[in-house]
């Protein structure tokens, strides 16, 4: 199955989760109202965003045992609240650089059974319906 079929993994009334097409497991959580800053979310929405980020990170660690999970939130190109959650491996193409940094080696697919991982993420995110 192609990654395009995975584009949107989950959504509720406030957020949606989508796949970033990459050689590493990489998901993004987006605010559906496209607000620019975290301070524009209500306290409950900020807690939900944090809890969803934590749930995805926990699934990545359990499923992949990465060297590190990177979590990033910046929006210069896409000025809306969103979180990147990325499983990082010592042999991924950019490690130890950020995924936007200088390539260190040839690309290696680090996703393994990505469908299985996404199913585990969907299952844990049901708690946010």
């Amino acid at each position: 199955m192609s990654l395009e079929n995975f584009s949107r993994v989950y959504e509720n009334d406030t957020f949606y989760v989508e796949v970033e097409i990459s050689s590493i497991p990489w998901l993004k959580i987006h605010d559906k109202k496209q607000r620019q800053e975290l301070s524009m979310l209500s306290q409950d929405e900020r807690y939900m965003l944090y809890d969803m980020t934590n749930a995805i990170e926990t699934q990545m660690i359990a499923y992949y045992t990465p060297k590190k999970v990177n979590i990033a939130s910046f929006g210069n190109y896409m000025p809306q609240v969103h979180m990147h959650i990325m499983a990082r491996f010592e042999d991924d193409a950019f490690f130890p650089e950020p995924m936007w940094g200088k390539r260190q080696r040839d690309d290696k697919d680090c996703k393994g059974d990505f469908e299985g991982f996404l199913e585990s993420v969907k299952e844990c995110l049901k708690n946010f319906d």
Side-chain angles (χ1 to χ4, degrees):
M1 185 177 283
S2 71
L3 283 180
E4 287 75 24
N5 295 329
F6 295 128
S7 184
R8 194 164 286 195
V9 175
Y10 170 82
E11 70 180 288
N12 63 24
D13 292 339
T14 309
F15 300 105
Y16 66 91
V17 177
E18 71 177 4
V19 171
E20 174 74 20
I21 296 175
S22 176
S23 60
I24 63 167
W26 184 345
L27 299 178
K28 298 180 294 189
I29 305 171
H30 294 271
D31 170 38
K32 288 175 109 174
K33 293 182 182 176
Q34 299 183 356
R35 291 166 285 191
Q36 288 188 317
E37 307 299 342
L38 283 170
S39 60
M40 295 175 173
L41 276 62
S42 71
Q43 182 174 353
D44 287 343
E45 290 167 332
R46 287 191 306 273
Y47 287 164
M48 182 186 298
L49 178 60
Y50 172 80
D51 289 343
M52 289 175 71
T53 301
N54 186 64
I56 292 170
E57 177 192 61
T58 301
Q59 290 301 308
M60 279 185 175
I61 291 169
Y63 206 86
Y64 288 106
T65 318
K67 178 71 174 179
K68 180 74 175 90
V69 174
N70 290 172
I71 297 173
S73 177
F74 49 89
N76 297 330
Y77 288 109
M78 179 188 289
Q80 75 180 68
V81 171
H82 65 287
M83 300 292 281
H84 296 261
I85 306 105
M86 302 162 270
R88 299 300 308 278
F89 306 90
E90 288 182 1
D91 58 350
D92 75 44
F94 292 88
F95 194 88
E97 292 286 319
M99 290 301 291
W100 300 274
K102 182 180 175 195
R103 180 179 297 276
Q104 303 296 304
R105 62 195 60 80
D106 290 338
D107 228 2
K108 175 187 175 200
D109 186 346
C110 299
K111 291 186 303 304
D113 177 20
F114 197 58
E115 287 183 53
F117 167 66
L118 291 179
E119 287 305 315
S120 72
V121 168
K122 289 176 191 178
E123 187 62 33
C124 81
L125 292 178
K126 286 181 182 177
N127 297 324
F128 298 99
D129 289 344

